[in-house]
Amino acid sequence: MKCIKQSTQLKNIYIEGFPIGFSDEQLFNLFKKYGKILSCTITRNNEGISKGFGFCCYEQEASANVAITEMKGKMIGERNLIVDYAVNKVTKQQSKCIRLKTTPPLLDILQITNQYQQSQKFPTKFNLQFLSKLSPDQQKQYIGEFLYMKISAIDGHNAEKITGMILELDISVLLVMLMDDSLLKQRILDAQRLISTDGKGK
């Protein structure tokens, strides 16, 4: 299996919104009709639990384009799929399609967020240049402070717990959430459901 370079990101798509119990094979089967797939993986935490999003890398850019057009917004279970070109870099374990840089430099962060900046903006006082100089853990802590303010305005009672759950996601996904309130609200709803389910089980 070949690894694609960053210059061919248009072959790699980001997928979010499928059921939490989905397997890599199920995600593959959902997207295989659009073209030859080189890699299809769901991102998971250290315990093997799905983080709710994954990546599908096609051999041809045209296949990725058709997949996005056909599958974006499609209802799977109780949610609409979010499907777009991949905007983040992940580890080789998470996706064999993309080469990794451990701490994204400023240029990479700007590339990650560029497509959103035309219509969306970061919160006031959020500093991308400062973020790029931090370690991965410090980056999450910095982003978490801004996410917490947004989350507490929606669910003050569970804000701390929800923020912690959302910070399990990759840094680049968190950056997009800072700019896109609709994505953040969907994640908050998912977290609230998990908290509610956990509470009923006790």
Side-chain angles (χ1 to χ4, degrees):
M1 182 182 298
K2 294 182 179 180
C3 223
I4 66 170
K5 296 181 180 180
Q6 293 173 13
S7 60
T8 57
Q9 282 185 342
L10 294 182
K11 297 178 182 179
N12 197 52
I13 63 174
Y14 170 86
I15 308 157
E16 181 182 345
F18 47 82
I20 198 71
F22 243 42
S23 66
D24 289 355
E25 183 179 3
Q26 286 175 301
L27 190 63
F28 176 89
N29 289 335
L30 197 61
F31 283 85
K32 67 180 182 181
K33 61 184 176 182
Y34 301 110
K36 183 177 180 180
I37 294 175
L38 300 180
S39 176
C40 190
T41 57
I42 293 173
T43 303
R44 303 179 185 279
N45 63 18
N46 293 334
E47 285 72 44
I49 299 173
S50 170
K51 290 186 177 182
F53 65 93
F55 298 87
C56 187
C57 177
Y58 286 95
E59 185 176 52
Q60 301 294 329
E61 289 183 9
S63 298
N65 182 55
V66 173
I68 291 171
T69 301
E70 294 293 324
M71 296 299 288
K72 181 181 291 186
K74 185 178 179 65
M75 180 71 75
I76 301 295
E78 298 180 352
R79 291 182 57 185
N80 296 100
L81 286 181
I82 296 170
V83 186
D84 207 341
Y85 292 110
V87 294
N88 64 317
K89 299 176 178 65
V90 293
T91 63
K92 291 180 180 179
Q93 289 76 20
Q94 292 171 323
S95 173
K96 295 180 180 179
C97 259
I98 300 177
R99 298 189 186 279
L100 169 73
K101 290 184 179 179
T102 305
T103 305
L106 177 60
L107 179 59
D108 288 339
I109 292 175
L110 290 175
Q111 289 174 339
I112 286 169
T113 59
N114 181 59
Q115 63 177 294
Y116 293 89
Q117 289 179 324
Q118 300 300 321
S119 58
Q120 306 283 351
K121 293 183 179 180
F122 282 116
T124 304
K125 297 184 180 180
F126 187 84
N127 191 319
L128 273 177
Q129 192 162 10
F130 174 74
L131 177 73
S132 69
K133 298 176 182 178
L134 302 176
S135 69
D137 287 342
Q138 290 173 327
Q139 287 179 342
K140 284 202 171 186
Q141 182 177 353
Y142 181 67
I143 294 171
E145 293 174 2
F146 290 90
L147 284 173
Y148 177 81
M149 288 187 285
K150 284 176 169 282
I151 294 169
S152 61
I154 297 173
D155 187 346
H157 180 69
N158 293 307
E160 186 173 346
K161 183 178 291 186
I162 292 173
T163 302
M165 295 168 71
I166 289 178
L167 285 177
E168 289 292 322
L169 298 171
D170 290 335
I171 289 173
S172 49
V173 177
L174 298 176
L175 286 173
V176 173
M177 285 187 182
L178 277 179
M179 293 183 287
D180 192 331
D181 287 342
S182 63
L183 285 179
L184 178 59
K185 287 177 181 178
Q186 184 60 62
R187 277 295 180 183
I188 292 173
L189 286 174
D190 289 343
Q192 287 172 329
R193 292 192 191 101
L194 288 173
I195 292 171
S196 177
T197 301
D198 184 56
K200 291 177 182 178
K202 292 182 179 180

